[in-house]
Amino acid sequence: MKNISIIGATGSIGTQTLEVMKSDKDNYKLIAATANKNFNKMIEIIKEFSPKLVVMTEKYAYDKVYEYCRNTDTIVKFGFDALSEAASMQEVDIVVTSIVGMIGLVPTLTAIKAGKDIALANKETLVVGGEIVNKEAEKYGVKILPVDSEHGAIFQCLQGNKNSEVSRLLLTASGGPFRGKKIDELKNVTLKEALNHPNWSMGKKITIDSATLMNKGLEVIEAHWLFHADFDNIKVVVHPQSIIHSMVEYKDGSVIAQMASPDMKLPIQYALNYPKRCESVIKPLDFYSMHNLEFEKPDMDTFKCLKYAYEAGKAGGIMPTILNSANEYAVDLFLNNKIKFNQISEIIYDSLNKFENTQIDSVETILNENKKVTEYLKGKYE
Ligand code: NAD
Ligand code: MG
């Protein structure tokens, strides 16, 4: 039996985690669940899974859930600090971090310090705090198990092999809704077009990140920390069909790929049960109806976010935090129709040039830098 806490239970990954849990109810127990606004979905979760603790970070949503829970055994708490409580409860074995944005850093670190394994979907946490997360995970002997499909794939391709024999990690990318377009053609794309991802149904922020290829940039940095890989040995391969979820090339030239239907339930299930494989919760691949698997080089002159992510990752220190903070801010502006699509990468470029690089010596360094970048951008764009 796995006792699970889900930080961000009402979103795309949270919901799919609960579906995996439903497929084998004797194997999983939901201990804690958190969300910000979606009280209706949280009430559904409480009805079905009776978690011990629920946290809501928006007051109106908390009030609704609190009201519903009056006659239940579920305790309801309010506020950001309670996320860390949900991530570190005594009976929890594994914490699924499916909250969006670098706001996930503090609850993830609290979970690690409480000795909980992490099923990590929240890539922004590793982008800004990879070094600290790795250090703490080692210190407290916890596993960081990737949920992101590419990293889940690489993790599977590495099983039974030696890290020292890896030559390159090949991260696949669908290319998003604007694959093949040039930068001038993206000037006037609409929010609706950017949200229309060809292969995956996900939360809004990651869907925009997929349209700019920043998602792949964040994943390059995520792969650097998860697999201790040099940036020069992490390559992005555009693969529009999203059947190969990533590959590992070994020094003898052999390439091992992980393939499956594009469905997040598989990497979630693998992370929750590693190293065991469970009964399938996804559609099997039908090789007779699969015609072409295509591969392309990413166009970093158009999708500049990917280029900036490599640069920030290689520079190290606080630069990935600046990249991520500027991206979170810019994507939010775009989602609110306040800027054009190409301005996302311009805002990131501006921020990366505005601030000096420094070393990260604590979580506070990261949180302060985030504040600085956000205030700078607020002054400019609001
Ligand atoms: P989502 O927007 O669908 O869900 C986000 C969840 O976090 C919700 O439960 C929401 O209530 C909670 N949340 C958001 N802001 C919060 C705040 N300020 N305070 C407290 N809770 C908050 O997002 P998603 O698509 O599920 O993505 C979650 C994470 O997983 C992201 O880091 C994303 O990059 C990563 N990821 C997602 C997918 C996918 O298929 N959706 C795939 C790989 C990685
Ligand atoms: Mg991914």
Side-chain angles (χ1 to χ4, degrees), residues 38-75:
N38 197 339
F39 56 86
N40 281 323
K41 208 159 190 179
M42 187 55 91
I43 289 171
E44 290 306 312
I45 293 172
I46 296 165
K47 274 186 197 160
E48 185 157 9
F49 293 90
S50 312
K52 233 176 148 170
L53 174 68
V54 157
V55 175
M56 301 301 289
T57 59
E58 284 282 342
K59 187 68 170 72
Y60 71 89
Y62 162 79
D63 289 341
K64 295 273 188 193
V65 177
Y66 183 84
E67 191 54 39
Y68 172 79
C69 285
R70 273 177 186 283
N71 302 314
T72 71
D73 293 332
T74 298
I75 297 167

Side-chain angles (χ1 to χ4, degrees), residues 59-351:
K59 187 68 170 72
Y60 71 89
Y62 162 79
D63 289 341
K64 295 273 188 193
V65 177
Y66 183 84
E67 191 54 39
Y68 172 79
C69 285
R70 273 177 186 283
N71 302 314
T72 71
D73 293 332
T74 298
I75 297 167
V76 189
K77 295 202 173 176
F78 167 68
F80 181 76
D81 290 344
L83 295 181
S84 288
E85 199 175 322
S88 58
M89 286 172 76
Q90 201 230 327
E91 53 270 78
V92 169
D93 302 313
I94 185 161
V95 177
V96 179
T97 62
S98 46
I99 190 167
V100 59
M102 64 169 276
I103 190 176
L105 177 63
V106 171
T108 304
L109 286 172
T110 310
I112 293 172
K113 287 178 188 163
K116 314 300 179 193
D117 286 334
I118 308 290
L120 185 136
N122 178 230
K123 64 193 83 180
E124 296 91 342
T125 279
L126 275 193
V127 169
V128 303
E131 198 174 343
I132 298 178
V133 168
N134 277 354
K135 250 191 223 147
E136 297 290 21
E138 199 178 323
K139 181 169 164 193
Y140 291 92
V142 310
K143 294 196 242 344
I144 309 290
L145 299 151
V147 165
D148 215 343
S149 56
E150 295 76 3
H151 306 74
I154 289 172
F155 188 52
Q156 293 183 54
C157 297
L158 288 170
Q159 298 302 312
N161 290 291
K162 290 202 183 102
N163 256 347
S164 58
E165 292 175 350
V166 170
S167 60
R168 292 189 300 175
L169 303 180
L170 304 164
L171 276 181
T172 52
S174 71
F178 303 134
R179 182 176 63 88
K181 296 240 187 299
K182 290 290 166 200
I183 194 158
D184 284 345
E185 298 173 86
L186 297 179
K187 261 191 205 151
N188 293 315
V189 294
T190 63
L191 177 58
K192 198 170 160 209
E193 287 168 320
L195 283 173
N196 186 23
H197 196 279
N199 302 350
W200 301 95
S201 159
M202 310 177 284
K204 282 187 180 165
K205 193 259 176 183
I206 184 175
T207 305
I208 300 305
D209 286 346
S210 300
T212 61
L213 289 204
M214 179 53 96
N215 182 50
K216 212 47 56 181
L218 300 177
E219 289 183 358
V220 167
I221 302 174
E222 182 185 11
H224 165 77
W225 292 117
L226 279 172
F227 306 114
H228 312 284
D230 204 277
F231 283 97
D232 289 331
N233 299 331
I234 306 172
K235 298 288 171 205
V236 172
V237 180
V238 176
H239 164 48
Q241 289 76 21
S242 298
I243 294 296
I244 293 180
H245 297 299
S246 278
M247 306 176 260
V248 175
E249 182 190 71
Y250 288 89
K251 67 178 187 186
D252 60 358
S254 192
V255 175
I256 301 185
Q258 188 263 341
M259 305 167 86
S261 305
D263 188 327
M264 289 308 296
K265 292 200 289 301
L266 172 58
I268 292 169
Q269 185 194 44
Y270 190 74
L272 290 179
N273 294 284
Y274 172 80
K276 192 177 134 194
R277 286 195 184 271
C278 300
E279 290 304 316
S280 174
V281 285
I282 64 165
K283 253 193 12 215
L285 279 181
D286 176 5
F287 282 89
Y288 296 141
S289 66
M290 208 187 307
H291 300 296
N292 290 317
L293 294 184
E294 297 162 293
F295 304 97
E296 297 165 9
K297 195 173 171 179
D299 172 2
M300 293 205 230
D301 295 326
T302 298
F303 299 97
K304 292 180 190 285
C305 288
L306 178 56
K307 186 170 83 185
Y308 299 152
Y310 266 108
E311 287 169 1
K314 283 183 190 175
I318 205 71
M319 295 319 271
T321 299
I322 299 172
L323 172 97
N324 182 74
S325 296
N327 182 57
E328 287 190 20
Y329 191 83
V331 170
D332 199 52
L333 288 180
F334 181 70
L335 285 171
N336 287 295
N337 281 308
K338 290 188 178 153
I339 57 167
K340 298 234 182 208
F341 185 75
N342 284 343
Q343 280 181 282
I344 298 175
S345 65
E346 288 165 18
I347 288 174
I348 293 162
Y349 181 79
D350 175 15
S351 307

